[in-house]
Structures are given as structure tokens and as C-alpha cells.
């Protein structure tokens, strides 16, 4: 698994959650986390969370940090959701190391009582993907600018968070290769 | 999934990591997290982590909070390890809410540079289990007493952490039932 | 898992076999069996059984009891088909308790040599579903009216059969949590 | 999958539930149901159901029809338990065709309010197995003799039930090869 | 699993890689390898390999031997790709027995430094499929005619290769039913 | 996945097929193929193939090339057996490149009508393993010495075959990350 930070801005319209997007964009042939900055306006046809669709929610932000994680090792929904929650914790840890305290509720982070992030996870029959977005600026929701993270620092989060997730997955893969099976009573 | 807090102290010798221990102890027939207080001295024949075995490590503590998680919904090693990391984050969040800042490295929590916790995860062919222990007192390693958590507060962590994990799993199970499959590019 | 009996009639056109239909209709976020009464006319684009499609079969009935089962715990075809056969047996048991003897052949029930029911099962990459329909009235096929089950009794089958399936699944989930792994010769 | 009816009597002591027993006995290298007649006295070390072990239950009968099913296509606990329930229904259907009405509760059949059968299911890391036993004679529990099934008829059930299960599995395997995936709402 | 050799020529346009094509064509309700001769011109909308799509590759041949393998026993990508490589080896072995030495690189066979074959593998949520094509004639790529395999011999490869694959799968299924689980150190 | 060639000779007694042997020996925490030279005398308690056990076969050779493959990415029996057959083909390809023509039958290679190799594959609940041995010298069975492969060349096969398998697995992992899911008819 590797982390790829895009130099260019990419506008997130929801098509990027599709399986094999990273391959199509960059020829990526390993599990990956692709991180980039850009606006967010998810089109109704790309909404994965049916609650958003039912509610007619707009998922809109002018400026976000985006992370798109893709694993091809499993299509198990339980696993991609556990990984999504773990990723959310990793984002909180990265922010905490820059002095920002957040509160996690499932796959959401809150700062000063305001929702700072969005996230969704799902599978196709070939891969599992997670999208995670953090507001850089926002008029209504929590955002990095309001809590004193300037642009440079915000951009540096792309690589920092990406690397932490890659390290976590590598660490897990190593740990599970030194544990014997459970006994049974 | 439910949380069971044992009133009695239980000495953890490693046999409790066996599949079906909760059923044998209390007739538990659902996924569970069993939380209790007690000493810790893992016998060599119950060591799951072969690194400990190779190193001849003793896993010893006079007083710990113990959590034993058992899921029967999957025997996938990747899933139980993702859940173990997520649980570690949940413990950190619970401690954080009592004012204690810890640092997570994989399945370990550190406080003031000292290792506060131990953990292992594995599967049998019928279930997956996680053990997680937090030192209440310890002469050498990090422990709750040193960082100002008195006995009552320590004991209250058993239920608090247990409930958080149960809530997390329920939240995941609900979320995965409203997400449609990914499109493919 | 829960059973939901709809008060309103719903015309079954095959779209209801889609994954996440129960969520979309009622916000259901658990495994479910949704039971309702209504006509049946499956559109060609919703046919799951390719034999029906090849044969150009119409799947038509003016009045049926319908059951739509959705599980998110697995996308294994073998499992959803075993559950479908088990459900068919459960329907037979429910009818037997009202004095009606049927004969099961795979996923079909026959009464007095006439086909009483229709059924299909399949998976998407997020869930598995079963549709099962029982004729209330029918000019040609077996139906509840012909065998002396009046309207009230027919409607009461919706809840009775639904509850039996929920109980069966709960019973299975409990049983598999008290069995140790097999030995090996 | 094939059915093998043993001519000789075999005393069931629980060792037969082990994976690969059929291979060891007869060199069987396909999924199988082995049916035979014999006494039953399950040794404590072969008990799979921990409830029996905790209760100190004896599982004893002087004369039973035994069925041992082994599948190598999956080690999923949910699947073997669904198959076990389906098999229990098949036994009830076979008995019904000889004029005997039974009541099913999970994996048990009752006749005249008395428990007629015993059953257990589990997995190892290579196969899944089901044991199902029907009392031919018994002083206390339900048995075939009491309900008018003579020895010859009893013995003929071995092949009849075995063939029904094989036919059911073949029918399922054929059905799942003509169903397209579900759509998603 | 069975091998079906079609008497008629079929033009391969990529639609045949779809799940359930064999059922639709011939009512096949078992795992199968369908072998036939015909041209090849894969339409862009049927391309499974996104590298071909990105490159705007044409996948064109006037005359090929085609093999379409479908398994319903698993939707695991790792398994279908291992089977695809194994099939490629089997083709090489069949050619070797007619005196033709080829070199395998992954899922490709080369003869005299020229690419002789094409192949792709993937899954849907109901089955896994492999397409494998061998040029009979070709102006640019390796082909059977150039290496001295005449038409009759070429056609006889359809059945020879098909039978070898079926035998291999049966042999595997038998072998895995006589191996006990691994011990653990 | 990596290949490790041991400099020292190791006597293969069957204990090396156990899960986690490579970790215990060398602290290996990735999927691996460990290659070494040494005698072979499999103790009855380490026999995985029950046919050998039933037959009372001895599995004996004074001098062999051994390969022990361990994957932690799956415990699927079908996958490990497909990989075993693929590995057998890879050994044949390596030998072919040194001018030795062999014939493959399942997991066996023959040379001049004599069995040259032995192999077994299985799973535990944490990993899957393959053992493959090639006779260097043997009085009765096929062996490398008889077919003109001297000691140095034999030893060089350890690394050559090991590298080919690692390359094959990496190639598969790359290929499956550029294929979109199948359509369905």
C-alpha cells in the first residue's frame, strides 16, 4: 500500500469513489490512499449513502482535503467499515499532534461542536473504497481555517495523514503474521 | 453485541483468550465484550503472540483492567486486527475524556513515554477474539494510578470503554445497511 | 433481524428485490423480512431468474402474500439459497399448523398438485435477498382461497411466517455461539 | 455430493463428527452424507455442543439412525447451521411421507411432545460437518418404534433421507447458476 | 465442471465474458469451460482490462481458439487469477504435447518471441470468469498456423485443452478432501 | 512476498509445514517462500495427506530441494491448491529452462516416467502452506542427479524457482488491480 499526494487540485464530484479510479488516473496497481485538495459537490448519481439521497442532502464544500482509500484484498463490508472508523481515528490523531482537539462520532470528527468532516465507505465486486473529506474553509461547518490551521499546514496534512494510514496497515499486516490461532475451551 | 462487566476479580492467565470462554463462564450466546479487573500472568502455553514466546517475555502485572472481545461473525484475521486497532483508539478516547492524553502506536497506548497497555488478537475456526489490558498499578510500566486515576475511576472505565465499543459496532452495522455498492470506472 | 408487516397493499413488480429497498422504503437499518399483500407482475427488467427470462414467462398473480428477506451479513450465494430453502420449509410449517398440507420441491410449495408459491434468491455486492410469494387467489395455480384459508387468516400468515423466520435466524445465531470446532482424524 | 449407506452397524461415540472421518473410513473424496444404524454414547471429549458439556448431559441411545454430512466447499458457520436446519426439515418431510407428523424446533424434531432426534453442526479449518441422529428405540425419548415404524421401514429411511439431502444440494447448486445479481435501489 | 465444445463458429466481441453467458446460450447449470473457434474483436464497452481501454488497444484477430471458463463456487479475485495462470500452463502443456514449445509470462504464451495468446479474468457478484484466446492465423502476432499446426489439429485443441482443465479442477477437488489442517508452531 | 534461501541444510521431518514456522525460524513477517536443501523423512504425526497415513507410506529421501510457501492473505483451500498446481508448473518451467523436460500430473512432476517430486498443501485458521520437494539423489525415484543436473546447478534452482514464484504472485496482484467487474447477461 502506498500514499499518493496529488499536486494539482481535484474537484470531488463523487465519481472518484468508483473502483479503479486510481488506476485510471495514474495507473496505480497496488492498494492506495490518494490525497488531494479541492472543492466538493457530490452529484446525486454518485451518492453512495442512501440517507443523503433520501434527504436530498447536498454534500458541498468549496475547499477540502480529500482522501480516497482503495483496497483490493477483500470486498467485506464489515472490514471496510472498521477501516473507515480506524482512519477517522488516525485523522484525529494527526490533528491532535498539531494541537487540534476533535471529537469522533463513528466516521465523523467534530471541532467545537461543529462537524468538520464527511466520509463514506462501500464495496464493488472487485475492491473496497473509503472517501474522507476535511473542510479547509466553510461558512457553516467546522473547518481547518477557523481553528487556526493555515493553508500550508493544511496541505501538509495530506501527506501526514496518508503516511499514517499506510504505516498502520503495514503494521497490521506484520502483526497478523506472528499470532498463532486461538485455543478453544 | 453486549458488554458484561464482572463484579468479581479474575486473574488473567491467558486461558481467557480461548474461543467460547464467555459461553463457558456465563452462557453468553451473542458477540460480547467482557470487562473485569485482576492480575495478569500469561502462561507460556497460552501465549498467542509468538514474539513474546520467542523473547521469553513475561507478560505480568499485579493489577489490570481487562477486556475480552469475541465476535462470531467472521474469522478473518484482517478484520479482527482492524477491530483491535479501533478498540485501542476507543480506549484512548475514553481516557481522553477523563483528561488523560495518551499516544497510540498500533495496538499500544503510551502515557508519558511509558507503555500503558498490552493487547493481542487472533482467530480460531469458530470465532475471533481480542484481549486488551490496562495497568492499574505497575512498578515499571505506565499505569492509571501514576496518572491520577483513582481506583473508583479506574473501575468505572470497565463499563465506559465496554459501552463505547458496543456502540461503535452497532453504529457500523447500521451504517453498512444504507450504502449502495460502488460504481466502477 | 426484525419482521415488518406493511399495512398497505404493495404491487410487486420485481423492483422490490433490489438491495436496500427496505432502507429506501422505511429506513430499515437491520436485517429484515418485510411482509405485505398485493398483486404481482414482474417486469422483464427485474427478473432475476434467467430461466423465466429465457422462457418469456410471465410471473403474474392478482393477489399474493409477499415476503422480502434481506441479510447484510454475507453475500455468499450458497448461504442465501440454503436460507431460501429453509424459509420454504418454514412456510410449509406455518401452513401445516393451519391444517394445510403442502409438498415442498426445492423452493416451491405445491398443494393438491398445484404450484402455490414463487421464489427467487440472489446477491449484490452489499446484501443477499429472497422473494417469496404465496397466491391468495389465482385462476390457474394453487392458492390459499381454494384450500379454505379466508382473507383474515391469509393476512395473519404475514406476521406468523415473518416471526417464525426471525426466530429461526436468532436461534441459529445462538446455537453457533456454543459449538466448539471439529476435531480432525 | 453422494450418499453412502453403511451395511454394518456403527456405534456412534462422537469421534465420527471429526473432519475427514469419511475419507479415513472409506476413502471418500467428495462431499458426502454417510448414513448408518447403531447405538449412541458420546464421550465427553467428543462433545461439540458446550451446553451438553456444561450440563454434564449424557447423549445416549441404544439404537439410532445416524447421518454424518461433510462439506468441503465452505467453512462458514452460518452456512453449516442453515444446512443443518434444512436437513432437519428434510427428515420431517421424509417421515411425513411415511405418515408420521413431527414438529420441528430448530434442529430438533418432536413427536407426540417427545424429542425424537439429536443434532450438532460445526466446522474445522478444512470442512463443515453435521451429525443428526433419530432414535429407533428409546425408553424415555421419542423413537420410531413407538410411532409404528418397524425395523425394515426404519432402515429404509437411511437411504431415503440421504438421497433427499443429496438431491436438495444438487438442486441448490443448479438454481444458483441461473440467477443474475440483484439490482440496487 | 464440464467442457462444452461448440460446433459452430462464434465471433468473440467481449460480451461472452459476462456472467451467465453459458446459461443463456445453452442452459448450462454447472461450472463450465466453453470452447469454440471464431474471430475476435472486443468492443470497448466489453473490455475488462482497463489497461487495454486506456491504451485504446484493439484486441483483434480474424481467427482464434476461444475458451470461456465460469466458476460459481467463489467470487474471490485471487482465486480466479491463480486459476487463470494455471490454465495458461495447461495450454502450454497441451501445445508441448503436440511438439510446440512456448514461453509463459503470467497469462501470456509466446512462441518464437511472438505473443500467441490473449487472456483476461474477473468476477461479478455471482461468478468468476476467464477468457483465453489463441491465434489460429494472424499477420503480426504469433499463431498456430505459423508453427505448423494445421486446421484439424487446431480444432482438436479445443477439446484437448478443455478436458485437461476439467480434469485438473476435479483432481484439485479430490486432493483437498484428503488433507488435514496444518499444525501450528 | 519474499524468497528466502537458507544457506544451511535443514532436514525436513514435516514439522516445517506448520503455520508460522518461518516466523519462528527467522522472524519472517510477510508472505514467504523458504527454500533449502536437506534430507526428508516425514514423521507420521506430521503427515498432512491422509492417504500417506492410511497407506503407511514413508516419505523419504536422502537429499532434496525443499520449498515452503506460506500465505496469510486467505485460508481458502481452493486457493492454496490452485497455487500449489501453479507452483508445480513453475518448477517445470524452471527445469525446462535448464534443458530438462518433465511431465506434470496435478502436483507431481515426472521425468523419464519416474516421480521426481513430492508436494502437499493445506490451511490452518491463520495461514495456508505448500511444501514441495525435488529429489537431488534417489535410488528409486526420479532425481536431478540422474538427469544431469550437478550439485551447483541443483542449488541454484532454490533461488531461481523461489524468485519465479514471488514474481508470479506479484504479477497476479498487479493484474487484479486493473480489471473491472464482469457484466451480467
Amino acid at each position: 500500500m502506498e500514499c499518493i499526494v496529488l499536486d494539482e487540485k481535484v474537484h470531488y464530484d463523487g465519481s472518484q469513489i468508483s473502483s479503479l479510479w486510481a488506476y485510471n488516473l495514474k495507473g496505480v496497481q497496488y492498494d492506495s490512499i490518494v490525497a488531494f485538495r479541492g472543492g466538493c459537490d457530490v452529484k446525486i448519481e454518485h451518492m453512495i449513502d442512501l440517507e443523503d439521497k433520501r434527504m436530498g442532502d447536498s454534500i458541498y464544500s468549496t475547499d477540502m482535503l480529500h482522501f480516497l482509500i482503495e483496497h483490493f484484498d477483500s470486498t467485506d463490508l464489515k472490514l471496510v467499515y472498521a477501516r473507515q472508523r480506524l482512519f477517522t481515528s488516525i485523522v484525529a490523531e494527526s490533528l491532535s499532534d498539531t494541537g487540534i482537539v476533535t471529537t469522533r462520532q463513528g466516521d465523523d470528527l467534530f471541532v467545537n461542536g461543529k462537524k468538520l468532516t464527511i466520509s463514506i465507505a462501500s464495496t464493488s465486486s472487485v475492491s473496497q473504497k473509503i472517501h474522507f473529506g476535511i473542510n479547509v474553509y466553510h461558512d457553516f461547518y467546522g473547518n481547518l481555517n477557523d481553528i487556526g490551521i493555515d493553508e500550508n499546514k493544511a496541505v501538509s496534512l495530506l501527506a501526514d495523514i496518508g503516511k499514517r494510514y499506510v504505516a498502520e496497515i503495514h503494521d497490521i499486516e506484520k502483526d497478523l503474521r506472528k499470532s498463532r490461532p486461538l485455543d478453544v475451551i
Side-chain angles (χ1 to χ4, degrees), chain A residues 157-172:
Chain A
L157 287 173
L158 291 174
D160 182 64
I161 291 169
K163 277 179 202 166
R164 285 172 189 252
Y165 185 69
V166 170
E168 186 85 45
I169 295 296
H170 285 177
D171 192 53
I172 285 174

Side-chain angles (χ1 to χ4, degrees), chain A residues 3-53:
Chain A
C3 172
I4 298 161
V5 179
L6 301 183
D7 291 331
E8 65 274 23
K9 288 202 175 185
V10 177
H11 183 77
Y12 186 80
D13 64 7
S15 64
Q16 297 88 349
I17 192 79
S18 303
S19 281
L20 294 160
W21 170 76
Y23 175 77
N24 239 44
L25 186 76
K26 296 274 179 188
V28 178
Q29 285 181 273
Y30 35 80
D31 287 3
S32 64
I33 174 166
V34 182
F36 56 88
R37 186 179 173 187
C40 177
D41 193 0
V42 182
K43 291 185 196 163
I44 196 90
E45 72 261 30
H46 293 311
M47 281 187 187
I48 296 296
D49 186 334
L50 295 189
E51 190 173 3
D52 298 330
K53 236 174 153 176

